[in-house]
Amino acid sequence: MHLSADTTSRVWFITGASRGLGRAFAEAALTAGDRVAVAARTTAPLDELATAHPGRVLPLGLDVTDRDAVFAAVAEAVAHFGRLDIVVNNAGMLSMGMVEEFTETEARAQLDTNFFGALWVSQAVMPVLREQGSGHLVQVSSIAALGGFPSTGLYSASKFALEGLSEALAAEAAGFGAKVSIIQPGGYWTHLYTAMRNTSPLEAYAPLREELAKQFAEGSVDSDPKLAAAALLKLVDSDEPPLRLLLGSMVYDLAFDIARTRMDTWAAWEHVSRAAEQAIAAPATTVEEAGTGLQQETR
């Protein structure tokens, strides 16, 4: 076992750290004087970080869809640095296509990376954070978790699932002194779109694709990932970090627009919602069950 002699700086574990947001997160942590276990399928960029910051970077080749490999990587990071203070579940991929177009293999691949990969990392690090009585797990979600949009249905599904998992995990981890936060980034210049996968298109959706193409043709002005990294540092430096943090003006405004629309719809249908509930005693379906229920009530 190699244990780092430095015991004062924080230790990070970041997945998907070879490029994009993950790389920016790792560089920001190193600039802050911390130590980082960087994990990714492509290891050459990780080795470059280790060379540039001797003694403070542990490169780890990792496919997050491999649960055993995830647990082994986390164990190696803890053995090397002695602890984990900040874990960033950043590894992800994007598959574009209408919901009807996805094959089973394509759908599972999307969920395997974005949801199950994050789940495996969360499960692997929780025993460490529990034993320490401290630590901060940051789940990288997306603007796509605010709502479903045409051609991003499976991507949204993976991020919706991640957020539901993370809300529950935050409540479970709180009693052990561990924190969980979800960050929801807007547009950043990363490799997410250049490396995305596409389904085989169905002709029926050609008009919708043309409409989407017109919207995309207007161009996108996204941000430098370093800005997201600066926000992440403020989040992990906070004594009381929020469960969710929106990153970017576009995603901030969209979140409020979606929330208002949902609230307006709920209010418009309030009479139907309330009429669908009226408390009654538990119904008995058989004489035997009725007798059992009566016995329980009279005890």
Side-chain angles (χ1 to χ4, degrees):
M1 180 179 79
H2 179 280
L3 190 63
S4 173
D6 183 356
T7 58
T8 58
S9 61
R10 296 177 298 188
V11 175
W12 296 58
F13 183 96
I14 304 174
T15 65
S18 63
R19 58 188 183 180
L21 290 177
R23 178 63 177 251
F25 295 158
E27 290 176 344
L30 290 165
T31 299
D34 294 337
R35 296 164 289 165
V36 188
V38 284
R41 292 190 183 193
T42 305
T43 58
L46 308 182
D47 294 334
E48 294 170 4
L49 273 178
T51 300
H53 302 274
R56 294 200 292 132
V57 176
L58 175 64
L60 297 166
L62 177 63
D63 177 354
V64 295
T65 67
D66 184 338
R67 188 174 187 270
D68 290 341
V70 168
F71 274 74
V74 169
E76 184 176 349
V78 174
H80 186 84
F81 288 124
R83 61 182 295 110
L84 293 177
D85 298 298
I86 303 162
V87 178
V88 184
N89 248 326
N90 172 73
M93 52 91 73
L94 169 63
S95 291
M96 295 280 285
M98 308 304 169
V99 171
E100 184 184 352
E101 296 170 344
F102 273 82
T103 65
E104 180 179 350
T105 298
E106 291 168 336
R108 289 184 182 279
Q110 180 70 93
L111 274 293
D112 277 345
T113 298
N114 291 9
F115 175 70
F116 284 104
L119 170 59
W120 306 149
V121 173
S122 299
Q123 290 183 330
V125 302
M126 272 308 301
V128 180
L129 305 188
R130 280 195 292 104
E131 184 176 348
Q132 292 174 175
S134 65
H136 196 168
L137 173 60
V138 180
Q139 313 280 43
V140 180
S141 184
S142 168
I143 184 176
L146 297 178
F149 307 98
S151 77
T152 64
L154 267 293
Y155 182 71
S156 287
S158 69
K159 294 300 187 179
F160 267 78
L162 174 62
E163 295 209 5
L165 167 81
S166 301
E167 282 197 7
L169 181 58
E172 295 166 358
F176 301 103
K179 302 171 183 177
V180 177
S181 294
I182 303 164
I183 60 173
Q184 298 169 306
Y188 290 93
W189 292 114
T190 69
H191 294 272
L192 184 65
Y193 288 100
T194 59
M196 72 180 180
R197 304 174 185 178
N198 292 282
T199 58
S200 297
L202 293 174
E203 182 60 30
Y205 293 99
L208 178 55
R209 290 184 190 279
E210 290 178 7
E211 180 60 31
L212 293 174
K214 291 178 183 178
Q215 297 176 19
F216 294 148
E218 297 176 359
S220 174
V221 181
D222 290 340
S223 301
D224 190 325
K226 291 180 180 179
L227 294 176
L232 176 62
L233 284 180
K234 292 178 182 178
L235 174 71
V236 299
D237 286 343
S238 172
D239 291 332
E240 297 183 3
L243 174 61
R244 280 184 173 82
L245 178 64
L246 300 164
L247 300 186
S249 294
M250 183 264 287
V251 67
Y252 184 92
D253 292 338
L254 180 62
F256 276 80
D257 289 342
I258 290 175
R260 291 188 186 103
T261 298
R262 288 175 179 171
M263 292 179 69
D264 289 344
T265 301
W266 292 333
W269 285 79
E270 179 182 4
H271 63 291
V272 177
S273 299
R274 293 192 181 280
E277 178 185 78
Q278 184 175 4
I280 61 173
T285 57
T286 67
V287 174
E288 182 179 351
E289 288 178 0
T292 302
L294 180 61
Q295 292 173 5
Q296 291 175 344
E297 291 175 3
T298 57
R299 285 175 183 171

